Amino acid sequence: MKKPTWVIDKEKAKRGEARASFWLFGLHAVRDALLNPRREKLRLVVTRNAADRLGEALSHGPEPEIADPRKFPVPLDPGSVHQGAALEVRALDWGSLADVCAPSAETPRVVLLDRVSDPHNVGAILRSAEVFGARAVIAPARHAAPETGALAKTASGALERQPYLRVPNLARAMEELRGLGYGLIGLDGEAETGLADAASEMSDRPLGLVLGAEGPGLRALTKETCDILARIEAAGAFGSLNVSNAAAVSLYATRPR
């Protein structure tokens, strides 16, 4: 049976995105990427000072191009703090959601992001996910932050360690997780149930924490696909958190006891 045109176009777009390259910058992000055997590295530009500071890590990448710090020849956004190091790479391929998120002896947790497009927020969430032992951070391929140098710098090395899975459809990914045994908690400031109570109800199951973009929050379909909506209980009337802070609090509050 011949594939529909829209399916073929989507597959081409996905392959094109996978082959697209971008620049990581900053000593920490570049060093972690150089030392990651999964990362495809294309071009390395460093100043002499940065090369000295990267040391042995340089041997894990392409031949470094030594640059004049006054004329750093890399197409970065103005204001990017590159510290004299930039590495052109391709996005990481972590494999399928089913493989990465398959339940095991421990009770895994994953973070799902509904149209969180700010790379600094996603970078911070990846860092928290790595610190608190999440299995993966999952986001839709469209309307969500892609891998970029700014995201990697905010993630402070977590981008190389914490799977960041971009899926065609978030609701379908949630259903796939449910099929793997996951319970899905949507974070909603207007929910009646507190996060602690919601997590207690699902303490014996793998857990997916679903967070929406600041302002609009979770979309209607995302809410409907969750098993339960829960709020982070606040001490006072002001109960709003930045999405990256909400992710960190949720991961800590639901950690295995």
Side-chain angles (χ1 to χ4, degrees), residues 2-242:
K2 187 176 180 181
K3 291 182 181 179
T5 302
W6 69 270
V7 173
I8 295 172
D9 291 342
K10 181 178 285 190
E11 289 176 348
K12 285 182 179 178
K14 187 175 181 180
R15 286 194 296 270
E17 182 178 326
R19 299 308 297 165
S21 65
F22 63 98
W23 286 92
L24 299 174
F25 57 86
L27 289 168
H28 196 166
V30 169
R31 179 183 289 108
D32 285 332
L34 286 170
L35 295 175
N36 183 0
R38 300 174 63 104
R39 178 70 80 175
E40 186 178 354
K41 306 136 194 156
L42 305 176
R43 185 182 170 200
L44 176 62
V45 179
V46 291
T47 62
R48 293 198 180 279
N49 180 58
D52 291 341
R53 296 175 68 183
L54 287 169
E56 191 272 338
L58 293 176
S59 65
H60 296 270
E63 184 69 25
E65 303 171 30
I66 304 300
D68 184 335
R70 296 165 297 181
K71 299 178 181 178
F72 200 65
V74 173
L76 300 176
D77 291 333
S80 297
V81 183
H82 56 72
Q83 299 174 292
L87 178 66
E88 187 180 13
V89 298
R90 298 199 197 280
L92 285 165
D93 180 7
W94 290 99
S96 71
L97 182 148
D99 289 340
V100 173
C101 302
S104 56
E106 80 273 12
T107 305
R109 292 166 302 152
V110 300
V111 177
L112 298 107
L113 303 178
D114 188 10
R115 297 195 174 198
V116 178
S117 57
D118 185 325
H120 299 94
N121 276 333
V122 175
I125 290 167
L126 284 163
R127 188 172 182 176
S128 295
E130 180 66 14
V131 167
F132 293 117
R135 186 69 66 81
V137 174
I138 301 165
R142 298 179 62 194
H143 307 295
E147 286 191 36
T148 63
L151 186 154
K153 200 165 196 310
T154 307
S156 192
L159 182 61
E160 305 301 325
R161 302 177 179 87
Q162 177 68 209
Y164 182 39
L165 306 182
R166 308 286 302 287
V167 296
N169 183 285
L170 189 66
R172 284 202 292 269
M174 292 167 68
E175 293 290 4
E176 186 174 354
L177 287 170
R178 183 178 284 114
L180 293 171
Y182 281 76
L184 302 170
I185 299 178
L187 276 292
D188 184 342
E190 303 299 319
E192 294 182 3
T193 305
L195 177 58
D197 290 338
S200 179
E201 290 181 27
M202 300 185 179
S203 60
D204 60 341
R205 301 172 63 183
L207 193 61
L209 298 167
V210 192
L211 296 98
E214 292 175 45
L218 298 174
R219 291 173 293 162
L221 179 58
T222 306
K223 285 185 178 182
E224 293 169 10
T225 311
C226 291
D227 293 308
I228 189 169
L229 299 178
R231 72 182 188 281
I232 296 173
E233 295 171 289
F238 185 79
S240 176
L241 283 173
N242 168 283

